[in-house]
Amino acid sequence: MMRRILASLFLCLFLTPLIAAERPKIGLVLSGGGAKGAAHVGVLKILEEHHIPVDYVAGTSIGAYVAGMYSLGYSASEVEAIMMGVNWDSGYSDTIPRNVLSYRDKQLRDRYNIPLNIGYNEGEVRAPSGLLRGQTMSQLLRQSTDLVSQFGDFDDLAIPYRAVATDLETSLPVVISQGSIVKAMQASATVPGALQPTQIDGKLLVDGGIANNMPVDVVKAMGADIIIAVDIGSPLVKKDKLDSTIAVLDQLSNFLTNASTTKQKELLTDNDVLIRPAIDDLSTTDFTIMPLALTLGREAANSQLDKLSTMSVSPEEYAAYVAAKQAKGKVLIAGVSHPIKKIVFDNHSKVSLNLLKETLELKEGQSVTKDELNEALKRIYSLNKFERVDAEFVEGEEGRVLTVSTHAKSWGPNYFQLGFNWEDDFSDDSAIAFDMAYTMTDLTRNGGEWRNEVKLGFERLFATEFYQPLDRDQEFYSRARYQYDTQSWGLYDNNNRVFDFDKRTHTVELGIGYNFILQGMVELGMVAEKGSIVNDAWLTEDFDFSSYGAYFKFGYDSLDSISFPTSGNRVTFNVYVRNEDFADIVDNNENEYSVQIEADWKGALSVGNHAFVGKTSLATNNNDGFNTLHLSELGGFLNLSGYHKDSLEGAHKIFGAFIYQYDLGRDALGMTDYPLYLGWSLEAGNVWYERSDVSLSDLIYASSLYVGTDTSMGPAALGFGITDMGDKSFYLFIGKAF
């Protein structure tokens, strides 16, 4: 049986060149055009249905993708299935999902919610060379092509292939004819400014449409006698449509692509075929139009059948051509199942190789699928230390070698961070806060970080913190922090603010911790506070206070969103043991040690577009009444809705809530970029000063209705809450982790 298969393969590979030699060689040229690229697949399907072989193929941008897939031996139907199954929109976001970030990075993202990629190094403010780094796009392309090895020559593919990109330095076209087919596709489709340039052979490459959007000359140079060129470029628009900045920029881009296409059309002869599908009114960025574009591609090819049919070969010849192409394609794809003989790291960062190996979790001798490799690369990228994480396979003498490349963020190693929160309940309790930080990283061998923070607005804060990993794997760490903050400390009576104090506090923390898993940590440390309480309106002097003691912190966080979660859990458990001195404020303060315990949980699960969220919050202190200044607060949106924020306070707290969220945006309105939630909550809780007063019969019940969304800049919500006591409040939040 094996002899028969080998003989058939030999005959196919031997006979096909003879057959091709008896007819003109046909070259296929596929232009760029974004989402309209599905029209190329429609053309391919017509060519296959009419037994028209393709001997050479080249493309630009999306055309390079379709051409590359076809060159690997996939049929038009297989390319269609793969292309339509890709979530192309996800390729235009390199944001690391919150649930896979480390515990520390989650807390920082929640606070510094503005996605800012700006750094400082060697006396310069730096930024990435593209809004996106292309990490997710490379994963999408790898999903399409499978784990094929790098090629010494694209002529060795099932159909000889070329991809066209533009040299960003010279603006000249670059024809990619070897190496990684994934990298070739990505370079050809890298929109300058939106995606970071791709580096190949020392050149910075961007979208080939700038220099050569329909590379007829490239396919002619490959040896094609007859050209089939498919033009899906965008036409120039009329002046009445040039009514916005975006429209003008698009028109300028179209100048370049149309100019290059016009030059390439001049190379076509009467024997060649130019196919122009009716895609002028379709968007290049709306991938929902792909089925329509495919149909239009079929129709355009059908309209040219009088010329295309002259290229048809007999059923027997075409069967031999297809068999040879498929046989060669199977040889190319067969290698993806071979076990990895060696894993090599090309590490351009200060992250330890041991940490990279442990995070990758792939072993030598293992056969890896494309899904397993992408998940492994995601784990490394989620360390939040890299600009790009790539992988390539090479078939060497020793077997299949996997090379993992990591590139540190080019705008580092020192970074600026920004956060913005606006919180309003349409009363006097309105708060706007700006958070700013400057973080210096890689200060020590193990990756020490020094962060300086400033908060302005309703609460004012300055802090400086040094975070020192104690081992190369960054499991153990030490932390030293100084903070000065001043905040308004309001006292309420029946949900009405009576008066305010200004609480000004100097705090020093020294801790040592253990990141026991990516999502969790424990920390032990010492804490000291010194401050004063001030009210310039009626206090004649400041009331001073101080405390010192120790703490224990436990944290675990796997939520996919801090505000509108649909999966995961977040648990925190803190214990503080302090000696408090505030005799200036309370005469009977006896400097006794207070033990404060806080426990919080938030969890979510979802079924389709319906999410169910639970919250609990418990706190207690062995010092009752006014014998402690470390109180627990309650009140605000989804924290006893209907009350003002933190309008209830006491030494002891009980709170619980059940929240239902319906993703109205994705389910009913067809929104894809961001969700739009319609939510309802049922809440119960209260606070008490004296432990003896704690009683479940005193629980206050509340409920709320809200609409909200979760964006790359954090949550935004508009809600209404009411309690069983008749208290009501409207709430507006932007960038607030509630």
Side-chain angles (χ1 to χ4, degrees):
M1 184 67 177
M2 181 58 68
R3 286 183 180 177
R4 240 180 244 175
I5 294 175
L6 292 174
S8 298
L9 176 58
F10 174 78
L11 288 173
C12 289
L13 295 177
F14 178 73
L15 290 175
T16 301
L18 296 179
I19 295 170
E22 297 172 1
R23 60 171 176 78
K25 294 180 180 179
I26 300 171
L28 180 64
V29 180
L30 304 179
S31 77
K36 296 181 285 188
H40 292 320
V41 183
V43 173
L44 286 175
K45 298 189 86 168
I46 294 300
L47 298 183
E48 290 184 349
E49 290 170 10
H50 291 84
H51 299 165
I52 300 172
V54 174
D55 301 297
Y56 306 101
V57 61
T60 297
S61 195
I62 192 67
Y65 169 82
V66 176
M69 294 296 292
Y70 205 56
S71 73
L72 288 172
Y74 293 109
S75 68
S77 295
E78 289 171 328
V79 176
E80 176 188 4
I82 295 171
M83 192 175 184
M84 296 301 181
V86 171
N87 181 7
W88 292 98
D89 288 323
S90 67
Y92 291 92
S93 173
D94 286 327
T95 301
I96 302 172
R98 185 185 187 277
N99 59 304
V100 299
L101 286 170
S102 69
Y103 183 87
R104 176 175 166 82
D105 283 340
K106 285 184 176 77
Q107 316 316 308
L108 292 174
R109 178 184 289 185
D110 293 341
R111 179 170 181 180
Y112 301 103
N113 54 304
I114 297 176
L116 182 73
N117 293 319
I118 296 180
Y120 183 82
N121 190 26
E122 298 178 353
E124 295 182 355
V125 176
R126 297 185 174 183
S129 52
L131 295 176
L132 301 172
R133 275 86 74 194
Q135 179 69 25
T136 308
M137 183 60 73
S138 67
Q139 291 177 351
L140 292 182
L141 296 176
R142 193 179 297 111
Q143 284 287 115
S144 296
T145 60
D146 216 330
L147 305 183
V148 293
S149 299
Q150 295 197 58
F151 300 99
D153 195 325
F154 288 162
D155 284 345
D156 297 332
L157 301 180
I159 302 174
Y161 164 71
R162 300 289 186 270
V164 178
T166 301
D167 188 328
L168 187 59
E169 183 179 14
T170 65
S171 78
L172 297 175
V174 175
V175 180
I176 307 172
S177 60
Q178 63 180 9
S180 165
I181 194 168
V182 169
K183 218 169 200 180
M185 290 176 175
Q186 187 160 8
S188 183
T190 296
V191 180
L195 290 166
Q196 198 158 14
T198 301
Q199 289 197 41
I200 297 180
D201 296 333
K203 297 178 179 179
L204 293 177
L205 303 183
V206 294
D207 197 311
I210 298 172
N212 191 349
N213 198 47
M214 194 174 70
V216 173
D217 58 342
V218 173
V219 178
K220 281 183 174 289
M222 294 173 73
D225 299 309
I226 299 175
I227 300 293
I228 301 173
V230 186
D231 177 19
I232 59 166
S234 298
L236 298 177
V237 300
K238 302 298 182 183
K239 64 179 181 180
D240 59 325
K241 300 293 185 180
L242 300 173
D243 53 1
S244 68
T245 302
I246 293 177
V248 172
L249 292 176
D250 283 343
Q251 185 80 326
L252 293 175
S253 176
N254 292 339
F255 285 164
L256 298 174
T257 56
N258 278 270
S260 69
T261 299
T262 299
K263 289 182 180 179
Q264 294 299 310
K265 287 179 181 178
E266 293 173 355
L267 301 177
L268 297 174
T269 68
D270 293 339
N271 294 327
D272 301 324
V273 179
L274 175 64
I275 299 174
R276 172 71 184 179
I279 42 72
D280 288 359
D281 295 330
L282 299 186
S283 168
T284 59
T285 58
D286 181 6
F287 289 94
T288 62
I289 58 93
M290 290 174 69
L292 174 58
L294 189 147
T295 299
L296 294 175
R298 286 185 61 96
E299 292 176 355
N302 269 322
S303 69
Q304 299 270 22
L305 275 181
D306 56 337
K307 293 189 69 173
L308 290 174
S309 60
T310 62
M311 307 175 203
S312 298
V313 298
S314 69
E316 294 77 18
E317 287 180 291
Y318 193 73
Y321 161 82
V322 171
K325 187 179 80 165
Q326 290 178 342
K328 200 165 186 181
K330 286 178 181 178
V331 172
L332 298 174
I333 301 298
V336 305
S337 61
H338 294 168
I340 301 172
K341 294 299 182 182
K342 187 177 181 181
I343 299 176
V344 177
F345 286 91
D346 183 20
N347 184 22
H348 300 275
S349 75
K350 293 187 178 181
V351 177
S352 72
L353 287 178
N354 191 53
L355 179 58
L356 293 177
K357 291 177 182 177
E358 289 186 357
T359 307
L360 186 69
E361 295 181 12
L362 300 180
K363 307 297 181 184
E364 293 177 354
Q366 177 183 354
S367 294
V368 179
T369 67
K370 58 186 178 183
D371 292 328
E372 290 171 337
L373 179 61
N374 273 342
E375 287 303 315
L377 298 182
K378 283 180 183 178
R379 286 193 295 270
I380 294 179
Y381 187 64
S382 297
L383 294 175
N384 203 22
K385 304 288 186 182
F386 306 106
E387 184 171 58
R388 282 288 299 275
V389 179
D390 294 312
E392 295 293 346
F393 286 95
V394 175
E395 298 291 345
E397 293 181 1
E398 53 196 357
R400 193 165 170 82
V401 178
L402 170 64
T403 300
V404 178
S405 302
T406 53
H407 302 270
K409 297 176 180 178
S410 60
W411 59 97
N414 306 321
Y415 306 98
F416 295 98
Q417 296 164 296
L418 291 178
F420 170 75
N421 295 319
W422 178 23
E423 181 178 348
D424 203 322
D425 63 3
F426 300 95
S427 70
D428 293 335
D429 296 322
S430 178
I432 295 177
F434 295 92
D435 286 286
M436 294 166 282
Y438 178 65
T439 304
M440 291 173 279
T441 68
D442 294 332
L443 296 177
T444 65
R445 181 174 179 271
N446 292 337
E449 296 181 2
W450 183 16
R451 174 175 287 104
N452 294 282
E453 307 171 5
V454 175
K455 175 178 280 191
L456 303 174
F458 182 72
E459 179 183 359
R460 295 169 297 281
L461 172 149
F462 167 77
T464 184
E465 176 179 297
F466 190 78
Y467 180 87
Q468 173 58 50
L470 300 178
D471 60 307
R472 294 291 283 164
D473 295 341
Q474 301 187 357
E475 290 184 345
F476 294 92
Y477 66 88
S478 63
R479 186 176 65 89
R481 180 180 179 87
Y482 163 75
Q483 173 178 307
Y484 172 74
D485 67 276
T486 174
Q487 57 181 314
S488 178
W489 198 17
L491 293 181
Y492 290 80
D493 182 29
N494 293 325
N495 204 27
N496 295 311
R497 187 187 292 266
V498 179
F499 48 78
D500 291 324
F501 295 111
D502 279 339
K503 185 181 180 184
R504 302 170 182 172
T505 311
H506 298 268
T507 305
V508 174
E509 289 183 349
L510 299 173
I512 185 167
Y514 172 46
N515 298 310
F516 60 93
I517 57 174
L518 184 69
Q519 298 93 347
M521 66 87 195
V522 291
E523 182 176 316
L524 287 169
M526 298 179 294
V527 59
E529 297 175 321
K530 185 175 181 61
S532 59
I533 294 177
V534 179
N535 185 303
D536 295 331
W538 59 276
L539 293 180
T540 57
E541 60 180 325
D542 298 350
F543 288 135
D544 297 328
F545 65 88
S546 63
S547 72
Y548 63 89
Y551 66 81
F552 167 80
K553 295 181 180 181
F554 168 88
Y556 171 83
D557 190 344
S558 64
L559 290 178
D560 58 349
S561 167
I562 189 62
S563 301
F564 300 109
T566 59
S567 65
N569 291 274
R570 184 176 190 271
V571 179
T572 60
F573 179 74
N574 302 324
V575 179
Y576 293 90
V577 180
R578 302 183 182 94
N579 182 295
E580 297 187 82
D581 180 5
F582 51 98
D584 285 352
I585 304 174
V586 179
D587 292 337
N588 63 350
N589 174 246
E590 299 176 356
N591 294 340
E592 294 183 355
Y593 279 95
S594 69
V595 179
Q596 183 183 21
I597 301 174
E598 302 171 325
D600 293 274
W601 167 77
K602 188 174 187 178
L605 59 87
S606 60
V607 179
N609 291 299
H610 307 271
F612 307 92
V613 183
K615 288 179 62 175
T616 59
S617 183
L618 305 172
T620 189
N621 196 314
N622 70 316
N623 279 356
D624 280 336
F626 294 97
N627 292 318
T628 179
L629 288 180
H630 295 93
L631 303 174
S632 298
E633 295 89 10
L634 194 58
F637 183 51
L638 300 182
N639 289 291
L640 216 56
S641 302
Y643 280 91
H644 298 306
K645 178 178 172 61
D646 299 338
S647 59
L648 302 174
E649 61 181 25
H652 312 282
K653 176 174 71 172
I654 296 176
F655 175 75
F658 169 79
I659 304 165
Y660 165 73
Q661 290 175 180
Y662 168 56
D663 192 344
L664 177 69
R666 289 195 176 103
D667 191 32
L669 302 180
M671 299 170 62
T672 57
D673 292 339
Y674 299 108
L676 179 64
Y677 294 111
L678 179 63
W680 166 81
S681 71
L682 180 62
E683 310 156 36
N686 207 341
V687 296
W688 299 266
Y689 274 95
E690 304 287 345
R691 185 188 302 271
S692 58
D693 292 336
V694 176
S695 173
L696 295 181
S697 62
D698 291 337
L699 290 180
I700 301 169
Y701 295 91
S703 184
S704 70
L705 286 172
Y706 64 88
V707 291
T709 186
D710 217 349
T711 72
S712 58
M713 292 184 59
L718 178 64
F720 171 76
I722 186 170
T723 73
D724 62 342
M725 310 292 290
D727 299 289
K728 306 180 185 69
S729 282
F730 285 94
Y731 301 98
L732 173 66
F733 296 92
I734 297 176
K736 177 66 180 178
F738 44 83

